[in-house]
Amino acid sequence: MTTATSKPEVGGAEVAEKDKWLRAYRQMVRIRLFEEQVNELYTRALMPGLAHLYSGEEAVAVGICEALRIDDYITSTHRGHGHCLAKGASPDRMFAELLGKEAGYCRGKGGSMHIADPATGNLGANAIVGGSVGIATGAAFAAKRLGNGRVAVCFFGEGALGQGSLYEVMNLAQLWKLPVIYVCENNLYNEYTHYSETTAGTILGRAVAFGIEATTVDGQDVRAVNEVATRLVKRARAGDGPAFLQADTYRYSGHHVGDINREYYRSKQEEQHWKTERDPIKLHGNWLLKQDHAGEGDLERLFAEARTEMEAAVKFAIAAPYPSVDQVDQDIYA
Ligand SMILES: Cc1ncc(C[n+]2csc(CCOP(=O)(O)OP(=O)(O)O)c2C)c(N)n1
């Protein structure tokens, strides 16, 4: 561990860099432990409905959101808890939403797949696969028209590549040079089907067809994700138009919390390989140790703090009241 005596004094830029990577670690741990609690709430039958866990994919949301301003936009998916937290949402209000409580982001009426948080630029999760591509592109269009310098990031899974609306919006985004970044989180499976059975050609080829800047990144490496995101955000903000990022990653759990027996579509060895060899938290933790940015004790402390935070947030949500009956017809769209 770095001590005052073991190292010469470091400059401001170095400190900022170290703080940034420690924050990235902390954010990934918060997401992992948030999801652990979601699974626990489901198993204890305290949460109505299902949820789709983001565990294993944390480096994508964190690497990208660390490259964004608070007023930049994101749109999210059915697997959206990691995006929300990485952009700055409060776990208290997220758990409250999951449990249908009034303190939740949608007053308890949306649940896991409908969390939106305008204060942090989060235009919402979306239960419809590919459902947010138009929202993100529209937000980028507005940002360009208003000249406010905002950028929109559109997260989606590789399953959304089958949605025609993605190609309509990518076409317009490129024609109009909109500040939008399409982030395809390729976790290999569309529900229970390997993406190679649903996706002809290459993923990047789709964006290349529109002349959109397209690139791939190791989605288990938070620093690599952040580096490429920083570049793409910079060019979008400068008016150089949209980009498409394929982030290769893996979800550790089932498609949703109830998907327990998965061997008919993927092996236990495959899951084990990703968890032991490619875990984004372990990989980044090892790098922090190697760089002398943290010691084992520091990392354990960050874990313990995040666990305390998430346990307190769950307690808050469990104790929070449900919306009153007179609100049943409010905030409803037909
Ligand atoms: C338009 C539409 N079709 C089908 C579904 C059912 N569905 C929910 S998630 C999912 C697979 C999504 O796979 P992907 O986009 O790769 O995201 P991942 O779950 O892997 O994160 C499907 C088919 C849906 N929600 N919306």
Side-chain angles (χ1 to χ4, degrees):
M1 184 168 65
T2 307
T3 64
T5 48
S6 68
K7 273 204 135 192
E9 234 175 73
V10 286
E14 223 175 304
V15 172
E17 192 67 7
K18 173 180 153 179
D19 287 351
K20 171 178 166 167
W21 297 128
L22 283 171
R23 192 172 60 239
Y25 183 84
R26 178 172 170 268
Q27 288 289 67
M28 290 197 289
V29 169
R30 289 175 76 238
I31 295 170
R32 179 73 54 89
L33 297 182
F34 181 95
E35 298 294 48
E36 259 184 41
Q37 293 289 339
V38 175
N39 198 46
E40 181 75 10
L41 287 169
Y42 169 76
T43 316
R44 290 169 58 202
L46 290 173
M47 181 181 75
L50 293 167
H52 306 79
L53 305 184
Y54 195 68
S55 310
E57 306 191 26
E58 295 90 347
V60 183
V62 171
I64 287 173
C65 289
E66 284 292 317
L68 296 177
R69 301 193 318 217
I70 185 87
D71 63 343
D72 284 330
Y73 300 112
I74 64 163
T75 63
S76 174
T77 68
H78 55 286
R79 198 175 303 288
H81 305 159
H83 308 138
C84 292
L85 286 165
K87 196 67 173 60
S90 136
D92 290 14
R93 293 188 63 197
M94 286 177 66
F95 281 123
E97 188 56 44
L98 264 60
L99 298 189
K101 303 299 182 75
E102 197 186 352
Y105 275 105
C106 301
R107 295 187 170 186
K109 293 177 182 173
S112 165
M113 287 184 275
H114 298 96
I115 296 178
D117 180 20
T120 60
N122 180 354
L123 299 177
N126 208 304
I128 306 299
V129 170
S132 80
V133 297
I135 299 170
T137 310
F141 177 76
K144 179 144 190 161
R145 291 285 291 211
L146 295 169
N148 57 24
R150 292 180 182 179
V151 168
V153 167
C154 179
F155 289 103
F156 55 88
E158 79 290 343
L161 297 170
Q163 289 289 52
S165 51
L166 176 64
Y167 305 101
E168 296 180 35
V169 298
M170 285 205 296
N171 182 56
L172 289 180
Q174 175 67 347
L175 282 173
W176 297 343
K177 291 278 176 274
L178 301 183
V180 55
I181 301 167
Y182 301 101
V183 177
C184 177
E185 301 182 306
N186 181 15
N187 63 14
L188 304 182
Y189 296 91
N190 322 156
E191 285 189 326
Y192 320 108
T193 307
H194 194 273
Y195 84 101
S196 60
E197 294 179 51
T198 61
T199 315
T202 65
I203 294 179
L204 285 195
R206 288 153 165 78
V208 170
F210 294 101
I212 291 179
E213 165 92 15
T215 187
T216 310
V217 72
D218 175 0
Q220 306 308 91
D221 180 343
V222 72
R223 296 181 311 286
V225 174
N226 183 255
E227 189 182 326
V228 69
T230 302
R231 178 173 72 76
L232 299 179
V233 167
K234 193 171 169 197
R235 66 184 288 290
R237 238 192 264 295
D240 292 340
F244 185 104
L245 179 62
Q246 173 185 338
D248 294 323
T249 185
Y250 197 76
R251 66 165 152 79
Y252 285 175
S253 313
H255 170 60
H256 55 65
V257 281
D259 173 21
I260 307 290
N261 300 317
R262 301 184 283 276
E263 279 180 275
Y264 72 96
Y265 72 92
R266 66 184 205 185
S267 68
K268 281 200 168 141
Q269 290 92 312
E270 179 183 290
E271 293 189 358
Q272 212 44 40
H273 167 76
W274 282 86
K275 287 179 186 173
T276 53
E277 306 296 322
R278 306 287 299 121
D279 182 65
I281 298 178
K282 273 191 213 154
L283 291 173
H284 188 52
N286 287 342
W287 180 83
L288 288 169
L289 295 173
K290 214 167 142 201
Q291 295 297 308
D292 220 4
H293 283 339
E296 296 276 4
D298 298 318
L299 301 187
E300 279 164 22
R301 186 170 39 76
L302 285 170
F303 251 94
E305 284 169 7
R307 196 174 293 286
T308 305
E309 181 192 10
M310 295 308 157
E311 285 170 359
V314 168
K315 258 192 199 148
F316 165 85
I318 290 176
Y322 287 104
S324 59
V325 174
D326 63 315
Q327 289 182 40
V328 79
D329 60 354
Q330 286 174 24
D331 315 309
I332 301 295
Y333 299 89

